[in-house]
């Protein structure tokens, strides 16, 4: 089949986590003989920030690391949708796209397009910016791929889409895998962006406070860290190392004995059961993981076996001390988390789910045509 995906960016993962998952899905689809063409807006926000932060050579590095993963950049004002959609069997449109583009693709489908059309939501805007999400015209879309059951229910209850499926993100295990034998460079590594203040208090309690209390040699990677956040990192005695290309995260995980996951507030308070992609990637690399509180409402993992949960900063400090000093505990967590990813949460599993959705839609269409 020919898949066409409209994303914010495939080339840039600067504050753009969906690029991680999309790359893994492309890898898996093409390995199975499918064709995938990706479209991204020229000079998109993430790409502009990547180049400003890392220089134009960052784009060349992507091409070198992901050969054959090219995308077609376009000017929204001149994009030829008929040409872009020609021959497509399945079209997927990510939610970080312009409202007009989403609507125009829907109109092409309504005007006789024979492709299946899906909207892909991988963010918390359904609860933090519902007005913007409600403005998307999904009338002609076959449905929504929502990266959590709670987001799926929001779309259905609000009437934003005719149907929706839960399609969690997952680890690209061709890239995210254990790398044994790497020299140790410290005690703890954190890979995550600061964002818009959705977890600044939590990062202080569950990341910086334990680092300071245990006097850990810690390295923190990510972008959008304001001056006060960098000052707090320095005060805790940690190293702020800035942007880390996602493909380099496995190497970073291999050089440290533990990492932590601190979910953004919406995923704790209203979007229960959505881990985001970071825990999938960490567990796939076989690094012990300790999480601040979040509810695995969908039973994706085995809390206590795949990772430890810390109810507060004091317990986070204790868990980190235990993992760093108990080799058997660390090995058990690493082994269990890795096994769960391999058995349930690879991009291969998600492609299986996507193809099953597509098969169902294909079987359904003749019935709809007969009913008419």
């Amino acid at each position: 089949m020919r898949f066409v995906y409209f994303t914010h960016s495939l080339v840039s993962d600067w504050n753009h986590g969906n690029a991680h998952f999309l790359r893994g899905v492309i890898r898996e689809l093409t390995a199975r003989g499918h064709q995938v063409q990706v479209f991204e807006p020229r000079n998109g926000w993430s790409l502009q920030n990547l180049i400003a932060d890392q220089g134009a050579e960052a784009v060349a590095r992507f091409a070198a690391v992901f050969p054959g993963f090219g995308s077609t950049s376009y000017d929204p004002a001149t994009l030829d949708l008929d040409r872009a959609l020609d021959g497509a069997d399945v079209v997927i449109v990510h939610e970080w796209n312009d409202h007009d583009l989403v609507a125009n693709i829907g109109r092409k489908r309504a005007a006789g397009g024979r492709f299946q059309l899906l909207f892909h939501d991988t963010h918390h805007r359904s609860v933090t910016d519902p007005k913007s999400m409600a403005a998307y015209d999904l009338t002609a879309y076959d449905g929504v791929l929502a990266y959590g059951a709670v987001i799926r229910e929001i779309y259905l209850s609000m009437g934003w889409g005719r149907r929706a499926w839960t399609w969690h993100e997952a680890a690209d295990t061709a890239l995210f895998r254990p790398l044994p034998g790497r020299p140790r460079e410290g005690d703890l590594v954190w890979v995550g962006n600061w964002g818009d203040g959705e977890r600044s208090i939590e990062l202080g309690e569950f990341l910086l406070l334990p680092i300071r209390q245990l006097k850990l040699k810690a390295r923190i990677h990510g972008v959008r860290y304001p001056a006060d956040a960098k000052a707090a990192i320095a005060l805790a005695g940690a190293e702020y190392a800035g942007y880390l290309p996602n493909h380099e995260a496995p190497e970073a995980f291999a050089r440290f004995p533990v990492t932590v996951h601190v979910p953004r507030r919406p995923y704790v308070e209203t979007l229960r059961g959505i881990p985001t992609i970071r825990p999938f990637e960490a567990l796939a690399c076989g690094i012990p993981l300790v999480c601040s509180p979040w509810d695995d409402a969908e039973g994706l993992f085995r809390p206590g076996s795949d990772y430890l949960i810390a109810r507060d900063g004091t317990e986070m400090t204790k868990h980190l001390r235990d993992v760093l000093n108990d080799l058997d505990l660390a090995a058990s967590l690493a082994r269990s988390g890795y096994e769960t990813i391999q058995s349930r949460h690879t991009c291969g599993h998600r492609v299986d789910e996507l193809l099953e959705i597509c098969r169902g839609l294909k079987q359904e269409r003749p019935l709809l045509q007969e009913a008419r």
Side-chain angles (χ1 to χ4, degrees), residues 123-125 127-128 147 150 190 193-206 261-276 292-295:
H123 203 266
H124 56 63
R125 279 184 284 271
V127 295
T128 57
Y147 87 140
V150 63
W190 154 266
N193 303 321
W194 188 264
D196 299 308
E198 311 105 315
R199 57 180 171 187
S200 53
I201 295 174
E202 292 85 349
L203 287 173
E205 179 179 4
F206 291 98
H261 174 52
V262 182
R264 298 177 189 273
R265 207 165 299 143
Y267 299 115
V268 175
E269 297 177 348
T270 53
L271 296 177
R272 297 166 58 249
I274 299 176
T276 73
S292 64
W294 74 279
D295 183 7

Side-chain angles (χ1 to χ4, degrees), residues 75-265:
D75 180 343
T78 59
L79 174 63
D80 185 342
L81 273 180
D82 289 326
R83 184 174 181 180
L85 299 172
D86 183 42
D89 297 297
V90 181
V91 177
I92 304 176
V93 186
H94 189 251
E95 43 81 18
W96 199 2
N97 270 297
D98 183 81
H99 287 80
D100 288 341
L101 175 69
V102 173
N104 288 338
I105 295 174
R107 292 188 188 101
K108 293 296 182 182
R109 168 63 192 276
R114 300 186 62 82
F115 50 85
Q116 297 170 5
L117 182 55
L118 299 166
F119 188 70
H120 189 195
D121 190 328
T122 64
H123 203 266
H124 56 63
R125 279 184 284 271
S126 58
V127 295
T128 57
D129 192 7
K131 183 177 179 179
S132 176
M133 300 308 297
Y136 283 112
D137 181 3
L138 304 181
T139 306
Y141 282 64
D142 289 299
V144 176
L145 301 171
Y147 87 140
V150 63
I151 293 180
R152 172 183 177 273
E153 291 301 323
I154 289 171
Y155 272 87
L156 296 176
S157 64
M158 298 298 291
W160 293 346
R162 68 170 73 178
R163 81 198 87 187
W165 298 268
T166 301
W167 198 45
H168 283 284
E169 294 182 319
D172 177 4
T173 50
L175 178 62
F176 284 85
R177 64 195 190 282
L179 299 173
R182 299 303 196 268
R184 179 166 164 171
E185 295 184 356
D187 303 309
L188 180 151
V189 64
W190 154 266
V191 182
N193 303 321
W194 188 264
D196 299 308
E198 311 105 315
R199 57 180 171 187
S200 53
I201 295 174
E202 292 85 349
L203 287 173
E205 179 179 4
F206 291 98
L207 179 63
L208 299 184
L209 179 63
I211 288 173
R212 185 174 184 179
Q213 289 184 334
L214 294 173
K215 296 181 172 56
L216 301 181
K217 184 178 181 182
R219 181 176 299 159
I220 295 175
H221 288 281
V223 300
R224 302 183 69 195
Y225 281 70
D228 59 342
K230 294 177 182 178
I233 291 170
L235 184 63
E239 172 195 2
Y240 173 63
Y243 169 74
L244 181 72
N246 192 55
H247 66 269
E248 295 182 9
E251 191 70 42
F253 288 141
R255 295 170 182 270
F256 289 81
V258 70
T259 190
V260 301
H261 174 52
V262 182
R264 298 177 189 273
R265 207 165 299 143

Side-chain angles (χ1 to χ4, degrees), residues 176-180 184-191 219 249-261 278-291 305-308 320 323-324 329-339 341:
F176 284 85
R177 64 195 190 282
L179 299 173
R184 179 166 164 171
E185 295 184 356
D187 303 309
L188 180 151
V189 64
W190 154 266
V191 182
R219 181 176 299 159
E251 191 70 42
F253 288 141
R255 295 170 182 270
F256 289 81
V258 70
T259 190
V260 301
H261 174 52
R278 298 290 188 184
F280 291 119
E281 293 177 339
L283 295 177
C285 289
I287 184 173
L289 175 67
V290 186
C291 297
S305 297
D306 295 342
Y307 55 81
L308 300 179
L320 290 175
V323 171
L324 289 169
L329 172 62
S332 176
L333 289 169
R335 181 172 57 252
S336 180
Y338 176 79
E339 289 172 352
I341 296 299

Side-chain angles (χ1 to χ4, degrees), residues 3-26:
F3 289 80
V4 175
Y5 193 103
F6 288 86
T7 183
H8 175 72
S9 184
L10 173 69
V11 174
S12 175
D13 56 26
W14 197 98
N15 202 70
H16 178 41
N18 178 247
H20 309 188
F21 181 53
L22 178 55
R23 293 166 182 172
V25 168
I26 291 172

